[in-house]
Amino acid sequence: MTNKAGRSGSCILAGFALAAMLSCTTPSASAHETDKQTDKQTDRRVADANALAMTDTAPRPQPQSTRRSVARAEKGPYYVDFRARTAASWGHAFVWYGKTSEKAVEVAGLTPAGDTLAYVLGHITFVPSETGASYGDLDPEYLTASYRVYLNEADAKRVFAYIKELQASSPVWNAETINCTGFIGDIAEFMGLKVPHRWQRPENFVNSLKEINGGRQMVRLSMK
C-alpha cells in the first residue's frame, strides 16, 4: 500500500509539473485572440494616421467659383488699351477702349487732319486735328506696343466720358506740343497712372508707361 501511495503521489506531482511547463511554453487560445485584436487595432491606427497625413499634405484646389470671382475682380469688365503702331514717320500712339465681352472697340488718338502736307505743316505750326481712328489703328500687323488696363463699370463710365471730352476739346495738332503721346498721356493721368515724359517715340512711350506702373492690370479711380 505504501508503495502504491508513493507512486500515486509521484504521478500527481509529475502531472502538476507538466501542466506548469505547458502553461509557460504554450500560449492559450484567448491569448492568441487578444494579440490578433491588438494587431488589428494597431494596423487600423497606422492606416488612419497615414490617411490623415495624406489629407493634410495633399494640395486642396480652390473652389472653381472662388477662382472665377478672383479672376473677374483682377480684370474687370471694361478696359483701356494704350497702343502704338508703325507709321511713315515716328509712329502713332492711340487708345482702344470698350467692354471685354464685346469685339467692337472704340478708338481715340490725335493726328493731323489731311494728307502729308498737314503733317509737315504741323511741325511748324498748329494744324486741324482728327481724334478718331486713323489708318492702321485696327490692324494688328502694325502694332508695336500695347499696355491694357481694366476698369470696373463705374470707373469705365468716367474714363470713357473723359476720352470723349478730350476728343471734343482737341481741335489742333502740333508735332512738338500737342501730339499723340501727349493725348494718351492725358488719359493715363486721368486714370491715376504714372506717366513718363511725353516727348519720345510712341512705341517707347507705351512701353515706358507699362514699366513705370509695374505692369498693373487693374485701375481704380480715386474718389474726386
Side-chain angles (χ1 to χ4, degrees):
M1 292 293 292
T2 302
N3 291 337
K4 287 183 179 181
R7 284 196 300 271
S8 297
S10 298
C11 289
I12 292 172
L13 290 174
F16 281 135
L18 180 60
M21 291 175 63
L22 290 174
S23 65
C24 291
T25 58
T26 306
S28 64
S30 60
H32 276 300
E33 293 299 324
T34 301
D35 291 341
K36 288 180 180 179
Q37 292 177 2
T38 301
D39 291 341
K40 288 180 180 179
Q41 291 174 353
T42 300
D43 292 342
R44 189 179 298 112
R45 285 196 299 269
V46 171
D48 291 343
N50 289 337
L52 181 60
M54 291 176 65
T55 303
D56 289 340
T57 57
R60 293 186 176 91
Q62 198 175 14
Q64 191 171 7
S65 59
T66 304
R67 290 199 303 271
R68 286 178 178 174
S69 64
V70 169
R72 282 197 297 268
E74 285 301 316
K75 286 197 170 180
Y78 296 87
Y79 69 91
V80 174
D81 195 342
F82 299 91
R83 300 168 75 86
R85 64 165 174 82
T86 59
S89 57
W90 276 32
H92 179 52
F94 56 101
V95 295
W96 281 8
Y97 63 100
K99 195 170 184 178
T100 55
S101 60
E102 298 176 357
K103 291 184 178 180
V105 299
E106 296 274 359
V107 182
L110 186 64
T111 59
D115 53 18
T116 305
L117 178 61
Y119 175 77
V120 173
L121 289 175
H123 284 73
I124 304 171
T125 185
F126 297 99
V127 296
S129 70
E130 293 178 348
T131 58
S134 59
Y135 178 81
D137 289 355
L138 297 174
D139 297 320
E141 61 266 30
Y142 298 136
L143 186 68
T144 56
S146 173
Y147 174 40
R148 177 171 293 201
V149 293
Y150 296 89
L151 303 156
N152 61 37
E153 184 173 2
D155 287 346
K157 287 181 178 180
R158 295 174 61 191
V159 172
F160 294 175
Y162 176 78
I163 294 174
K164 297 290 187 184
E165 179 184 339
L166 188 62
Q167 288 178 292
S169 60
S170 303
V172 295
W173 179 87
N174 177 265
E176 298 297 328
T177 59
I178 306 175
N179 55 26
C180 60
T181 54
F183 183 88
I184 71 169
D186 287 342
I187 298 172
E189 188 172 20
F190 180 83
M191 295 171 63
L193 294 170
K194 297 177 183 178
V195 180
H197 71 88
R198 305 180 186 195
W199 317 125
Q200 55 182 314
R201 290 179 180 273
E203 178 181 354
N204 296 339
F205 180 85
V206 173
N207 287 331
S208 296
L209 179 66
K210 183 176 183 178
E211 182 179 356
I212 67 173
N213 286 282
R216 60 183 289 197
Q217 288 191 304
M218 190 71 192
V219 171
R220 293 180 176 84
L221 274 63
S222 59
M223 297 301 294
K224 297 182 179 181

